[in-house]
Amino acid sequence: MRHVLTAVAFATVLAGAGTAQTFTAENQLKVVPLNGSDFEVIEARGEGPRGMWCAAADYAVSQGRTGPGQRIYVKTPRGPSVSVAGRKGVVFTTDESRLSQAPSRSLSVGTRTVGEGLPVVHAFQFCRDYQIELGDVLFLRKGNL
């Protein structure tokens, strides 16, 4: 019995250490660092590409992985998570040399193409979807729906 309790305590410490590294983006999506330049955004609540790019940009800037003038890229398209079993995610990178194919630019925003990249400042603009401004609250208080 004592060995079981020790094993449970050890597993709890390890699980806590793993989740302590997880970053919560402005839109409440979880971001898991994979190495110095790669990180995975875990899909939740049916978020689409805009939400995934927002979380990626928030993480990249907040954690000092890149500056606002640099680009982030889809390294592994949306699919089964590489860090959380049973979930879906997108692996982003700040280092274009880690891509399996040449980086690309697109007029649409997606997470299904390896190499698709956006400037961090562009991707961070998608976080505005999650910000409530005073004018929004006053509009609702006046019953102007």
Side-chain angles (χ1 to χ4, degrees), residues 135-145:
D136 298 337
V137 174
L138 294 177
F139 184 75
L140 291 176
R141 285 187 72 194
K142 293 178 183 176
N144 297 323
L145 290 178

Side-chain angles (χ1 to χ4, degrees), residues 53-68:
W53 281 100
C54 163
D58 189 14
Y59 172 79
V61 172
S62 297
Q63 300 302 301
R65 298 288 177 113
T66 189

Side-chain angles (χ1 to χ4, degrees), residues 119-134:
V120 172
V121 69
H122 181 169
F124 196 73
Q125 289 299 310
F126 299 135
C127 293
R128 295 193 66 158
D129 295 350
Y130 306 94
Q131 297 169 352
I132 298 175
E133 297 180 6
L134 182 58

Side-chain angles (χ1 to χ4, degrees), residues 8 28 31-33 40 54 58 67 74 82-83 88-90 93 104 108-110 114-115 119 123 126 129 139-140 145:
V8 168
Q28 301 305 303
V31 182
V32 180
E40 182 177 34
C54 163
D58 189 14
V74 173
V82 299
S83 62
K88 298 232 182 256
V90 177
T93 187
S104 64
S108 63
V109 177
V114 173
F126 299 135
D129 295 350
F139 184 75
L140 291 176
L145 290 178

Side-chain angles (χ1 to χ4, degrees), residues 62-80:
S62 297
Q63 300 302 301
R65 298 288 177 113
T66 189
Q70 294 177 310
R71 297 178 73 82
I72 49 179
Y73 305 91
V74 173
K75 181 179 179 195
T76 305
R78 181 185 178 275

Side-chain angles (χ1 to χ4, degrees), residues 4 6 13 22 25 28 33 40 44-45 63 67 74-75 81 83 89 93 95 97-98 107 110 113 120 123 131 144:
V4 171
T6 303
V13 169
T22 301
Q28 301 305 303
E40 182 177 34
R45 301 178 319 280
Q63 300 302 301
V74 173
K75 181 179 179 195
S81 171
S83 62
T93 187
D95 180 2
S97 70
R98 296 186 51 80
L107 296 176
T113 305
V120 172
Q131 297 169 352
N144 297 323

